[in-house]
Coordinates of all heavy atoms in Angstrom, one line a residue:
D663 N -53.2 -6.4 5.9 CA -53.4 -6.4 4.5 C -52.7 -7.6 3.9 O -53.2 -8.2 2.9 CB -52.8 -5.1 3.9 CG -53.6 -3.9 4.3 OD1 -54.8 -4.0 4.4 OD2 -53.0 -2.9 4.5
A664 N -51.5 -7.9 4.4 CA -50.8 -9.1 3.8 C -51.5 -10.4 4.0 O -51.6 -11.2 3.1 CB -49.4 -9.2 4.5
A665 N -52.2 -10.5 5.2 CA -53.0 -11.7 5.4 C -54.2 -11.8 4.5 O -54.4 -12.9 3.9 CB -53.4 -11.7 6.9
V666 N -54.9 -10.7 4.3 CA -56.0 -10.7 3.4 C -55.6 -11.0 1.9 O -56.3 -11.8 1.2 CB -56.7 -9.4 3.4 CG1 -57.8 -9.2 2.3 CG2 -57.4 -9.1 4.8
L667 N -54.4 -10.5 1.5 CA -54.0 -10.7 0.1 C -53.1 -11.9 -0.1 O -52.6 -12.1 -1.1 CB -53.2 -9.4 -0.3 CG -54.1 -8.1 -0.3 CD1 -53.2 -6.9 -0.5 CD2 -55.1 -8.2 -1.4
D668 N -52.9 -12.7 1.0 CA -52.1 -13.9 1.0 C -50.7 -13.7 0.5 O -50.1 -14.3 -0.3 CB -52.8 -15.0 0.0 CG -52.2 -16.4 0.2 OD1 -51.7 -16.7 1.3 OD2 -52.3 -17.2 -0.7
I669 N -50.1 -12.6 1.2 CA -48.7 -12.2 0.8 C -47.8 -12.5 2.0 O -48.1 -12.1 3.2 CB -48.7 -10.7 0.5 CG1 -49.4 -10.4 -0.8 CG2 -47.2 -10.2 0.5 CD1 -49.6 -9.0 -1.1
E670 N -46.7 -13.2 1.8 CA -45.8 -13.5 2.9 C -44.6 -12.6 2.8 O -44.2 -12.1 1.7 CB -45.3 -15.0 2.7 CG -46.4 -16.0 2.9 CD -45.9 -17.4 2.8 OE1 -44.6 -17.6 2.5 OE2 -46.7 -18.4 3.0
D671 N -44.0 -12.4 4.0 CA -42.8 -11.5 4.0 C -41.7 -12.1 3.2 O -41.4 -13.3 3.2 CB -42.3 -11.4 5.5 CG -41.2 -10.5 5.7 OD1 -41.4 -9.3 5.5 OD2 -40.0 -11.0 5.9
G672 N -41.1 -11.3 2.3 CA -40.0 -11.7 1.4 C -40.5 -12.2 0.1 O -39.7 -12.5 -0.8
A673 N -41.8 -12.3 -0.1 CA -42.3 -12.8 -1.4 C -42.3 -11.7 -2.4 O -42.3 -10.5 -2.2 CB -43.8 -13.2 -1.2
T674 N -42.2 -12.1 -3.7 CA -42.2 -11.2 -4.8 C -43.7 -10.8 -5.1 O -44.6 -11.7 -5.1 CB -41.6 -11.8 -6.1 OG1 -40.2 -12.1 -5.8 CG2 -41.7 -10.8 -7.3
I675 N -44.0 -9.6 -5.2 CA -45.4 -9.1 -5.4 C -45.4 -8.3 -6.7 O -44.5 -7.7 -7.1 CB -45.9 -8.3 -4.2 CG1 -45.0 -7.1 -3.9 CG2 -46.1 -9.2 -3.0 CD1 -45.6 -6.2 -2.8
R676 N -46.6 -8.3 -7.2 CA -46.9 -7.4 -8.4 C -47.8 -6.3 -7.9 O -48.8 -6.5 -7.3 CB -47.6 -8.2 -9.5 CG -48.0 -7.4 -10.7 CD -48.6 -8.3 -11.8 NE -49.1 -7.5 -12.9 CZ -50.4 -7.3 -13.1 NH1 -51.3 -7.8 -12.3 NH2 -50.8 -6.6 -14.2
V677 N -47.3 -5.1 -8.1 CA -48.1 -3.9 -7.7 C -48.6 -3.2 -9.0 O -47.7 -3.0 -9.9 CB -47.2 -2.9 -6.9 CG1 -48.0 -1.7 -6.4 CG2 -46.5 -3.6 -5.8
W678 N -49.9 -3.0 -9.2 CA -50.4 -2.5 -10.5 C -51.6 -1.7 -10.4 O -52.3 -1.7 -9.3 CB -50.6 -3.7 -11.4 CG -51.7 -4.7 -10.8 CD1 -51.5 -5.6 -9.9 CD2 -53.1 -4.7 -11.2 NE1 -52.7 -6.3 -9.7 CE2 -53.7 -5.7 -10.4 CE3 -53.9 -4.0 -12.1 CZ2 -55.0 -6.0 -10.6 CZ3 -55.2 -4.3 -12.2 CH2 -55.8 -5.3 -11.4
N679 N -51.8 -0.9 -11.4 CA -53.1 -0.1 -11.6 C -53.2 0.1 -13.1 O -52.4 -0.5 -13.9 CB -53.1 1.2 -10.8 CG -52.0 2.1 -11.1 OD1 -51.3 2.1 -12.1 ND2 -51.7 3.0 -10.1
D680 N -54.1 0.9 -13.5 CA -54.3 1.2 -14.9 C -53.1 1.8 -15.6 O -53.0 1.8 -16.9 CB -55.6 2.0 -15.2 CG -56.8 1.3 -14.8 OD1 -56.8 0.0 -14.7 OD2 -57.9 1.9 -14.6
R681 N -52.2 2.4 -14.9 CA -51.1 3.1 -15.5 C -49.9 2.2 -15.7 O -49.0 2.5 -16.6 CB -50.7 4.3 -14.6 CG -51.8 5.4 -14.6 CD -51.4 6.5 -13.6 NE -51.5 6.2 -12.2 CZ -52.6 6.3 -11.5 NH1 -53.7 6.7 -12.0 NH2 -52.6 6.0 -10.2
G682 N -49.7 1.2 -14.9 CA -48.6 0.3 -15.1 C -48.5 -0.8 -14.0 O -49.4 -0.9 -13.2
A683 N -47.4 -1.5 -14.1 CA -47.2 -2.6 -13.1 C -45.7 -2.7 -12.8 O -44.9 -2.5 -13.6 CB -47.7 -3.9 -13.6
S684 N -45.4 -3.0 -11.5 CA -44.0 -3.2 -11.1 C -43.9 -4.3 -10.1 O -44.9 -4.6 -9.4 CB -43.6 -1.9 -10.4 OG -42.2 -2.0 -10.0
L685 N -42.7 -5.0 -10.1 CA -42.5 -6.0 -9.1 C -41.8 -5.4 -7.9 O -41.0 -4.4 -8.0 CB -41.6 -7.1 -9.7 CG -42.1 -7.9 -10.8 CD1 -41.2 -9.0 -11.2 CD2 -43.5 -8.5 -10.5
A686 N -42.0 -5.9 -6.7 CA -41.3 -5.5 -5.5 C -41.2 -6.8 -4.6 O -41.8 -7.8 -4.9 CB -42.0 -4.4 -4.8
T687 N -40.4 -6.6 -3.5 CA -40.4 -7.6 -2.5 C -41.2 -7.2 -1.3 O -41.0 -6.1 -0.8 CB -38.9 -7.9 -2.1 OG1 -38.2 -8.3 -3.3 CG2 -38.8 -9.0 -1.0
A688 N -42.1 -8.0 -0.8 CA -42.9 -7.7 0.3 C -42.2 -7.6 1.6 O -41.4 -8.5 1.9 CB -44.1 -8.7 0.4
W689 N -42.4 -6.6 2.4 CA -41.8 -6.4 3.7 C -43.1 -6.2 4.6 O -43.6 -5.1 4.7 CB -40.9 -5.2 3.8 CG -40.3 -4.9 5.1 CD1 -40.5 -5.6 6.3 CD2 -39.5 -3.8 5.4 NE1 -39.8 -5.0 7.3 CE2 -39.2 -3.9 6.8 CE3 -39.0 -2.7 4.7 CZ2 -38.4 -2.9 7.4 CZ3 -38.2 -1.8 5.3 CH2 -37.9 -1.9 6.7
V690 N -43.4 -7.2 5.3 CA -44.6 -7.2 6.2 C -44.2 -6.6 7.5 O -43.4 -7.2 8.2 CB -45.2 -8.6 6.3 CG1 -46.4 -8.6 7.2 CG2 -45.5 -9.2 5.0
T691 N -44.8 -5.5 7.9 CA -44.4 -4.8 9.1 C -45.5 -3.9 9.6 O -46.3 -3.3 8.8 CB -43.2 -3.9 8.8 OG1 -42.9 -3.0 9.9 CG2 -43.4 -3.0 7.6
D692 N -45.6 -3.7 10.9 CA -46.7 -2.9 11.5 C -46.2 -1.4 11.6 O -46.9 -0.6 12.3 CB -47.1 -3.4 12.8 CG -46.0 -3.4 13.9 OD1 -44.9 -3.0 13.5 OD2 -46.2 -3.9 15.0
T693 N -45.1 -1.0 10.9 CA -44.7 0.4 10.9 C -45.5 1.2 9.9 O -45.3 2.4 9.8 CB -43.2 0.5 10.6 OG1 -43.0 -0.1 9.3 CG2 -42.4 -0.2 11.7
V694 N -46.4 0.5 9.2 CA -47.2 1.2 8.2 C -48.7 0.9 8.5 O -49.0 -0.2 8.9 CB -46.9 0.8 6.7 CG1 -47.0 -0.7 6.6 CG2 -47.7 1.5 5.7
R695 N -49.6 1.9 8.4 CA -51.0 1.7 8.7 C -51.6 0.8 7.7 O -51.2 0.7 6.6 CB -51.7 3.0 8.8 CG -52.4 3.4 7.5 CD -53.1 4.7 7.4 NE -54.3 4.9 8.2 CZ -55.5 4.4 7.8 NH1 -55.6 3.7 6.7 NH2 -56.6 4.6 8.5
P696 N -52.7 0.1 8.1 CA -53.5 -0.7 7.2 C -54.0 0.1 6.0 O -54.3 1.3 6.2 CB -54.6 -1.3 8.0 CG -54.1 -1.3 9.4 CD -53.2 -0.1 9.5
G697 N -54.0 -0.5 4.9 CA -54.5 0.2 3.7 C -53.5 1.0 2.9 O -53.7 1.6 1.9
V698 N -52.2 0.9 3.4 CA -51.1 1.7 2.8 C -50.0 0.7 2.4 O -49.6 -0.2 3.1 CB -50.6 2.7 3.8 CG1 -49.3 3.4 3.3 CG2 -51.7 3.8 4.0
L699 N -49.4 1.0 1.2 CA -48.2 0.3 0.7 C -47.1 1.4 0.5 O -47.4 2.4 -0.1 CB -48.5 -0.4 -0.6 CG -47.4 -1.3 -1.2 CD1 -47.4 -2.6 -0.4 CD2 -47.5 -1.5 -2.7
V700 N -45.9 1.1 1.0 CA -44.8 2.1 0.9 C -43.7 1.5 0.0 O -43.1 0.5 0.4 CB -44.2 2.4 2.3 CG1 -43.1 3.4 2.1 CG2 -45.3 2.9 3.2
L701 N -43.5 2.1 -1.1 CA -42.5 1.7 -2.1 C -41.6 2.8 -2.4 O -42.0 3.8 -3.0 CB -43.1 1.2 -3.4 CG -42.2 0.6 -4.5 CD1 -41.4 -0.6 -4.0 CD2 -43.0 0.2 -5.7
P702 N -40.3 2.8 -1.9 CA -39.5 4.0 -2.0 C -39.1 4.4 -3.5 O -39.2 3.5 -4.3 CB -38.2 3.7 -1.2 CG -38.2 2.2 -1.2 CD -39.7 1.7 -1.2
T703 N -38.8 5.6 -3.7 CA -38.4 6.0 -5.0 C -36.9 5.6 -5.3 O -36.2 5.3 -4.4 CB -38.5 7.6 -5.1 OG1 -37.6 8.2 -4.3 CG2 -39.9 8.0 -4.8
G704 N -36.5 5.7 -6.6 CA -35.1 5.6 -7.0 C -34.7 4.4 -7.6 O -33.5 4.4 -8.1
A705 N -35.5 3.3 -7.7 CA -35.0 2.1 -8.4 C -34.9 2.5 -9.9 O -35.8 3.2 -10.5 CB -36.0 1.0 -8.3

Side-chain angles (χ1 to χ4, degrees):
D663 296 320
V666 169
L667 297 170
D668 196 26
I669 291 171
E670 296 182 356
D671 185 68
T674 300
I675 57 174
R676 177 175 175 258
V677 187
W678 60 279
N679 57 23
D680 290 342
R681 293 178 287 273
S684 181
L685 298 184
T687 301
W689 177 4
V690 180
T691 171
D692 62 3
T693 59
V694 57
R695 93 182 289 283
V698 169
L699 187 80
V700 181
L701 181 59
T703 66

